[in-house]
Amino acid sequence: MALAYAAFGLPAMAQDMTSQAPIQRVEVTGSSIKRATAETASPVQVISREDLQKSGKATVSEYLQTLTADGAGSLPTGFGNGFAAGSTAISLRGLGATSTLVLLNGRRMAPFARADDGQKSFTDLSTVPMEAVERIEVLKDGASSTYGADAIAGVVNIILRKDFTGTVFKAEAGESRYRDGEQGKAALTWGKGRLDEDGYNVMVNAEVYGNHQLMNKDRAERDWIGHGDIRPWGYAANTQFAAGYITAGASSPSPAGALRNPATGNYVSLPGCSQFSVTTAQDPNGGCLWYADQFRSMQPQIGGLNLYSRFTKNLDGGLQFYAEAGYSKRDTEFTLVPPSTSSTVAFPPNAANPTGVINYGNTILMAASHPQNPYGTAVRLRYSMFDVGASKRSADNEFSRFVVGLKGQGYGWDFDTALVHSQSALDLNYSNMINMRVLQAALGNPSSQYFPYYIGTQASRNPASLYAAMVTNATSHSTTQLDIVDFKASRELMQLPGGALGLAVGAEHRRQKLDNPSLSGTLDGSINASYVAAKGDDNVSAVFLEVAAPVLPSVELNAAVRYDKYKNFSSTTPKFGAKWTPLKTFAVRGTYSEGFRAPGPAESGAQSQSTGNSTVRDPIRCPGGVPAAGGATQADCAITIGAVKVGNPNLSPETSKGVTLGVVWDPLANTSFSLDGWKIKRSNEINPLSYVEAAALPTAIRNDNNLVVNGVVQPNTGTLLLSNAPYQNSSFTEVKGIDLDVKQRIPLGDWGRATAGLTWTHVASWVRAEKNGTRYQYAGTHGNCDTSNCAGTPKDKISANASWDRNGFGVTLTANYRADIENTYFAGDKCASLFANGSGAPGNCRLASFTTIDMSARYNVSKNLQLYGSISNLFDKIAPLDPLTYGGLSYNPMDASGAIGRYFKLGARFQF
C-alpha cells in the first residue's frame, strides 16, 4: 500500500511530561496565568505535532476541518464559487468563521481581504506554515474576557516552534486513484543555538506546495459525483446545476441560443445544440440542455509558498528578546461556467439607475434586423456564451506578519510585551467577463460598429475586434492591515489553602483597516457581476484582569474581565470558571462566559454592499413545496436567488453568553476521559434578512414569465431573481450540545506501544430566531442555507483513531463520521428537494450518513531518514448524493474525500 506521514524524533509536549521531569509552568489558551497543569476549568483540545503528522493531512486547515467541533460556515478549499474563494477557515459550533478567533502564537493575524458571504471577516488558515507548527490548542468555550472580539464560539491558537536546532528536509507527493489531482510539497527547516546553553536560537522554515486542478467531469464514472445531470437517480432535468432548458414563458441560458417568440411568449431554441452540449438526453421542450460539470472545477489549482523565521535571544537580567517574521503567498485558480447574456446585477443606486438593479434578461434584445432573428421584431434571448469560453477566477493572496517582543521577570512579575504588524493583500482576476453595454449594442443596435454579434453555431463569423471590446477581465486589489501593541504580566500574590493565588493583568491597542473595492466594472452594473465592496477602519483599546484562586486543595476558582473601547461603542466581558478535583484522577469543571463581536466593515460601512446567492423555495411559484399551476416547475422549489445586502452604520455589536459543564476522569493509568456539555446564546445578531423571508418580499424582483391560470395571467408571479436582505440586528442564535474526548494508551512491551482516541460532538439544538419572532431549528437538517455552501448541521460528528508503533515503524487508522441529516431547510419544513415523481429526495428526504477511513504509516530507515505515506478514504467510499448544497456538484462539501476518491501520498523526511 503506501507509507504515511508521521513524526521522526520529535520531542514530547510540555503537557505530556513524565513524572521525573521538572514541573514547568505553561500558559494555556484562554488564560494569561501560567500554571503547572494544562487542565483548566475550560475545555481545551490539544493537537500535537505528532497528531498532525500522523493524520496525513497536507495543511493545517485540512486537519482542523476534521475536528468534530467544526460546523456550518467552515470554508473548504474546493468552494470556488464563494465570496472568499481561495481561502480556508474553521467554524466552531457552526456559528461561522467570524465567531471563531484564530491566533498565531497567542496573537491575532490580519484577516483575509474579502469577507465571506460578503459579510464576515475571518482569518485565512492557508497562511499558516504546516511544517513550523509545534501544537494547536482549541479552546471550546468563549474567551472574549481574555482576547476580546470574535471569540464567541472559541479560540484556535496555533503555536509555532520556538527552540529548534538542526536541519530537516521533507518532500512529498500525492495522487488520486484516478491518476489526477496531483499535489506536491517540499519543506526545509533549519535552526541553530540552544537557549539554555548558547543563549540564543534562530529558526527558519520554508515550504512550497502545489495542487493540480481537478474538474468535476474527471469524476464522470464515480456514480453521481460531480454530475449536474442527476436524472439517472430519479431527479428532474432542471435541477440547480442545469441550464438551457425551456419552460412556459422562460428559458435558462442556452449555448445554441433561444429566442422569445413574440406571438406565443415562449422561447424557441436555435439549431445546433449537439455542437455544444455533451448532454445526450435532451430537453423535450426543445431547449439545449447542459450542466455545470461540463466546465466547473471540483478542486482548484493551487501554488503556494510559506516562510517563517524566529529569533530568540536571552538578555541580561532575565530578559528575553524575540522576533518573528512570516510571509505567505497562495495563488488559487477555479474554473466556472461561461457567461450569459441574461445576468441580473446589483450595484449602488445612482442618478442613471436609482434602483441599483439591472435585469439584463429583459433589457438586452436581439434587433429585428439581426441575421439570426426570424421574427421581424426585437426579441429577448437567452444565450450562454460558449464562444467566449469558461470563466476562470484567480485569487492571489499575500500575507505578512512581523512581531518584535520582550519578555522576562521583574519585581515578582512575569511579563510579555510586543509590537505586531500584519497585513493581507488579495488580487482577484475574473476572466471572460462581459462588457454588457457592448453586448447590448452588438445584439440590438444596427448602427453599432459591433453589430451583429452572431451567436451559437454562427459565432465563428464574429471578428476578433468584437471579442476584444466585449470580453474583459474584472480585477480588484483588496487589503487588510492590523497593528497591535500589547502588554501582559502575571504573578503569584499570596498562598491560599490550595496553592498560590495567581493574578494577570494586561492591555492592548489595535488599529485595523479593510479596503475591499469591488471588481472593476461593477460600480455601475456594466459587467455581468454584482457589486461587492467593503471599507472601514477602527481603533480598539482594551485592558483585562484575570485571577486564579485555588481556594482549597481540591477547588480552583478563576475569573477574568476585559474592557474594550471601539470608536462607536464599548464592551465589558466577564468570565468565571471553577474546577473541583475530589480525586487525583477525577475533576468536575465548568465556566460561564460573555462575549461580543463588533460589526465588521462589510456590515457597517456606508460604502459596503454585496449580493449573495442561496437556494430557496419560491413561496409564490412553489407554495407548500408543490409547483404552482400555470407554468411553475420543480426548479422553483429549489431556486438559487440573489439577495442584496447593504452596510448599516447603525448596527450594534453582537453579544453572547456561554456555559460549559463537564468532567475529566482518568479511570485507569493509561486512560483519559472528558465529557463537556456546552451552550452558547448569541444575541443581537448581525444578519441579513433571511433568504427565506427575502424571497417572500413583495419587492422581490422577478422575471415577467407570470403564471397563467385558466387563461388569466397572475401578476408578479414570474421566476424569482433577486431580493433585498438588509443587515439588521436580529434576535438570537442558541446552540447546545456535548463533547466527548477519550484517549487510551496501550503498552505492548516488546511489541511496542499503541494508542487509541475518540472525539464526539453532539449538537442537541441549533436554533436561530428572527426579529419577527420566527424560530428555525437547524440541528439535524440541511440548513442553515444562508451560511456558506449550505452544508447542513448534522447532530453528530465522530473522529476515532488508533496507532501502533514498534521499532521505528508505525501505522495509524483514522475514522471520520458525520450523521445523516434531514433534507429540509429547517426542522418541520417540507422536503427541500424532490424526485421527478414529486416524492422527497434523496431517499426518504434524508442525506445518508458518511464515514471514511484514512490510513497513514511511517518507517525510520535510519537515524536520519524516515519514509512516510498515507491513504485518504482507504475504502474509496463514495459521498452520498446531495441535491441541495451549492458547495459541491451533487455531493456535500463536508464529504469532499468521498468525491475525490481514494488518495495516495508518499514522502521522505531527512534530518541532517
Side-chain angles (χ1 to χ4, degrees):
M1 306 271 290
L3 291 173
Y5 194 38
F8 175 74
L10 294 174
M13 284 172 31
Q15 287 89 335
D16 295 328
M17 294 180 298
T18 65
S19 58
Q20 289 78 19
I23 294 177
Q24 298 181 14
R25 292 159 57 79
V26 295
E27 186 177 309
V28 181
T29 299
S31 172
S32 294
I33 297 175
K34 292 186 176 182
R35 60 192 74 225
T37 173
E39 288 294 354
T40 67
S42 296
V44 179
Q45 180 178 353
V46 180
I47 301 157
S48 70
R49 181 174 176 80
E50 187 178 12
D51 293 334
L52 290 173
Q53 295 178 327
K54 285 183 176 181
S55 72
K57 302 302 181 184
T59 65
V60 170
S61 61
E62 281 184 33
Y63 184 90
L64 290 177
Q65 287 171 350
T66 68
L67 297 183
T68 59
D70 185 40
S74 181
L75 293 175
T77 301
F79 191 30
N81 59 331
F83 282 95
S87 65
T88 54
I90 182 173
S91 169
L92 294 176
R93 309 303 186 199
L95 288 172
T98 194
S99 286
T100 301
L101 180 61
V102 176
L103 306 174
L104 190 65
N105 292 335
R107 291 184 169 95
R108 294 172 180 258
M109 299 183 282
F112 190 68
R114 204 172 199 228
D116 180 35
D117 287 335
Q119 175 188 5
K120 308 159 194 145
S121 296
F122 66 95
T123 302
D124 179 16
L125 291 170
S126 64
T127 62
V128 177
M130 175 83 158
E131 301 306 322
V133 174
E134 178 65 31
R135 69 183 185 277
I136 301 173
E137 296 179 350
V138 181
L139 177 71
K140 296 182 180 180
D141 68 352
S144 287
S145 62
T146 303
Y147 301 113
D150 309 330
I152 287 175
V155 178
V156 177
N157 187 10
I158 303 167
I159 300 166
L160 303 184
R161 307 181 76 172
K162 298 177 181 178
D163 194 8
F164 174 79
T165 59
T167 303
V168 174
F169 175 74
K170 293 179 63 174
E172 63 185 50
E175 184 180 75
S176 81
R177 58 158 285 209
Y178 298 96
R179 303 289 181 89
D180 59 14
E182 297 87 353
Q183 60 179 252
K185 182 168 75 170
L188 180 68
T189 306
W190 173 85
K192 183 179 180 181
R194 299 183 183 278
L195 283 171
D196 292 339
E197 301 172 9
D198 305 314
Y200 77 94
N201 177 260
V202 59
M203 189 199 82
V204 177
N205 170 262
E207 64 181 38
V208 293
Y209 59 91
N211 295 15
H212 283 181
Q213 184 171 240
L214 181 63
M215 307 300 292
N216 280 284
K217 61 186 177 184
D218 294 334
R219 292 297 177 268
E221 304 304 319
R222 194 172 172 81
D223 288 351
W224 47 78
I225 298 298
H227 283 266
D229 186 357
I230 48 178
R231 286 176 291 175
W233 297 278
Y235 293 83
N238 52 352
T239 45
Q240 65 170 314
F241 299 113
Y245 54 86
I246 291 176
T247 57
S251 171
S252 65
S254 161
L259 307 182
R260 191 185 192 195
N261 185 335
T264 65
N266 291 323
Y267 283 83
V268 178
S269 183
L270 294 175
C273 179
S274 60
Q275 181 176 322
F276 308 105
S277 175
V278 299
T279 303
T280 53
Q282 267 302 322
D283 180 14
N285 293 322
C288 183
L289 191 61
W290 65 282
Y291 292 89
D293 53 292
Q294 192 169 336
F295 298 97
R296 188 169 142 178
S297 301
M298 175 180 283
Q299 294 288 318
Q301 179 173 312
I302 302 174
L305 164 70
N306 284 326
L307 300 173
Y308 174 75
S309 64
R310 180 181 173 96
F311 174 73
T312 309
K313 172 69 173 174
N314 291 336
L315 305 176
D316 293 338
L319 300 179
Q320 186 180 87
F321 169 82
Y322 61 91
E324 300 174 24
Y327 173 81
S328 172
K329 181 173 174 55
R330 178 180 165 102
D331 298 340
T332 308
E333 183 176 277
F334 298 85
T335 303
L336 297 176
V337 299
S340 78
T341 60
S342 49
S343 304
T344 299
V345 298
F347 48 91
N350 54 48
N353 194 316
T355 66
V357 176
I358 299 176
N359 179 2
Y360 281 113
N362 291 350
T363 60
I364 290 184
L365 306 176
M366 180 178 280
S369 59
H370 192 289
Q372 291 177 277
N373 183 354
Y375 297 111
T377 186
V379 295
R380 295 181 190 173
L381 76 158
R382 297 291 183 263
Y383 179 48
S384 186
M385 305 168 74
F386 280 30
D387 53 314
V388 169
S391 177
K392 292 186 182 288
R393 293 187 177 183
S394 295
D396 298 342
N397 187 45
E398 285 190 85
F399 172 83
S400 59
R401 182 175 181 268
F402 303 94
V403 180
V404 177
L406 186 70
K407 63 182 180 179
Q409 300 83 35
Y411 302 101
W413 292 85
D414 292 331
F415 73 89
D416 188 353
T417 184
L419 296 171
V420 182
H421 172 76
S422 181
Q423 64 184 38
S424 181
L426 176 69
D427 287 292
L428 298 180
N429 189 325
Y430 290 14
S431 74
N432 288 351
M433 305 299 286
I434 303 302
N435 184 323
M436 302 302 281
R437 290 166 184 166
V438 172
L439 173 65
Q440 189 169 23
L443 282 167
N445 183 2
S447 63
S448 169
Q449 61 178 315
Y450 305 116
F451 185 87
Y453 168 37
Y454 292 94
I455 66 173
T457 57
Q458 297 191 40
S460 60
R461 300 176 62 179
N462 295 318
S465 58
L466 168 61
Y467 291 107
M470 183 174 65
V471 181
T472 185
N473 279 27
T475 61
S476 70
H477 177 74
S478 299
T479 59
T480 61
Q481 182 174 313
L482 178 66
D483 292 287
I484 304 172
V485 55
D486 64 24
F487 175 85
K488 62 182 177 181
S490 63
R491 67 168 298 164
E492 296 177 353
L493 286 180
M494 56 184 290
Q495 288 296 316
L496 298 177
L501 174 66
L503 170 69
V505 296
E508 176 185 87
H509 179 75
R510 299 197 308 270
R511 183 177 62 194
Q512 47 203 36
K513 295 181 180 179
L514 168 69
D515 184 9
N516 172 203
S518 190
L519 290 167
S520 54
T522 58
L523 182 60
D524 58 358
S526 62
I527 70 167
N528 57 318
S530 290
Y531 181 88
V532 176
K535 188 171 184 177
D537 62 85
D538 214 331
N539 291 304
V540 186
S541 297
V543 292
F544 68 88
L545 179 146
E546 181 183 356
V547 175
V551 293
L552 295 172
S554 62
V555 177
E556 179 181 303
L557 305 178
N558 56 68
V561 64
R562 179 179 172 116
Y563 174 79
D564 289 84
K565 179 70 175 71
Y566 286 73
K567 277 189 201 175
N568 300 322
F569 72 94
S570 60
S571 175
T572 301
T573 48
K575 181 173 182 176
F576 305 95
K579 185 177 72 167
W580 175 46
T581 312
L583 301 172
K584 184 178 179 181
T585 58
F586 181 82
V588 179
R589 64 187 180 188
T591 64
Y592 169 81
S593 61
E594 296 184 8
F596 76 100
R597 184 179 76 83
E603 298 161 321
S604 61
Q607 303 176 54
S608 301
Q609 177 175 321
S610 66
T611 301
N613 295 284
S614 185
T615 307
V616 299
R617 179 186 302 117
D618 187 332
I620 301 298
R621 296 176 67 89
C622 187
V626 179
T633 70
Q634 287 188 11
D636 296 300
C637 299
I639 190 167
T640 299
I641 70 162
V644 182
K645 301 171 281 189
V646 180
N648 179 0
N650 298 316
L651 292 173
S652 300
E654 297 179 341
T655 60
S656 69
K657 294 180 180 180
V659 178
T660 66
L661 179 64
V663 297
V664 181
W665 184 32
D666 295 343
L668 301 172
N670 294 299
T671 305
S672 63
F673 168 97
S674 67
L675 181 68
D676 293 279
W678 46 268
K679 175 181 174 182
I680 302 171
K681 184 174 183 179
R682 186 174 63 186
S683 302
N684 210 35
E685 281 191 323
I686 302 170
N687 286 313
L689 187 70
S690 76
Y691 280 81
V692 173
E693 293 178 293
L697 291 176
T699 55
I701 296 173
R702 297 175 175 271
N703 260 329
D704 56 6
N705 56 318
N706 293 316
L707 300 175
V708 180
V709 180
N710 297 324
V712 179
V713 176
Q714 308 297 305
N716 200 32
T717 60
T719 301
L720 187 59
L721 298 173
L722 190 73
S723 192
N724 289 315
Y727 290 118
Q728 58 182 356
N729 285 111
S730 57
S731 188
F732 65 86
T733 289
E734 183 179 86
V735 296
K736 54 188 175 183
I738 57 174
D739 288 332
L740 172 68
D741 192 339
V742 181
K743 292 184 176 65
Q744 178 69 53
R745 296 177 181 175
I746 309 170
L748 299 175
D750 293 341
W751 287 94
R753 61 186 176 89
T755 60
L758 179 145
T759 58
W760 168 48
T761 295
H762 173 71
V763 179
S765 177
W766 207 110
V767 172
R768 174 173 163 181
E770 299 297 341
K771 203 169 186 177
N772 62 5
T774 306
R775 296 166 67 101
Y776 299 102
Q777 172 62 264
Y778 292 120
T781 76
H782 217 311
N784 175 1
C785 282
D786 293 355
T787 304
S788 290
N789 66 46
C790 189
T793 308
K795 285 189 175 181
D796 296 287
K797 293 178 73 176
I798 299 174
S799 178
N801 63 80
S803 291
W804 173 62
D805 292 271
R806 180 175 183 256
N807 296 334
F809 174 79
V811 63
T812 299
L813 291 174
T814 302
N816 292 301
Y817 164 85
R818 67 140 184 89
D820 62 340
I821 58 178
E822 294 181 5
N823 191 27
T824 56
Y825 289 112
F826 51 87
D829 192 27
K830 298 281 188 178
C831 193
S833 305
L834 302 175
F835 287 119
N837 63 10
S839 62
N844 199 29
C845 196
R846 296 192 75 87
L847 180 67
S849 64
F850 188 59
T851 304
T852 56
I853 307 292
D854 300 336
M855 186 181 82
S856 69
R858 54 269 173 204
Y859 176 61
N860 296 336
V861 179
S862 68
K863 181 180 178 181
N864 302 103
L865 176 64
Q866 182 189 71
L867 301 179
Y868 61 88
S870 66
I871 307 175
S872 298
N873 194 1
L874 178 63
F875 299 109
D876 202 26
K877 292 284 295 294
I878 297 176
L881 195 162
D882 186 342
L884 185 63
T885 181
Y886 49 90
L889 262 70
S890 304
Y891 68 90
N892 196 290
M894 288 191 294
D895 305 337
S897 64
I900 295 170
R902 186 185 294 124
Y903 196 92
F904 302 89
K905 277 194 288 190
L906 287 171
R909 180 184 190 274
F910 190 81
Q911 180 168 322
F912 297 89

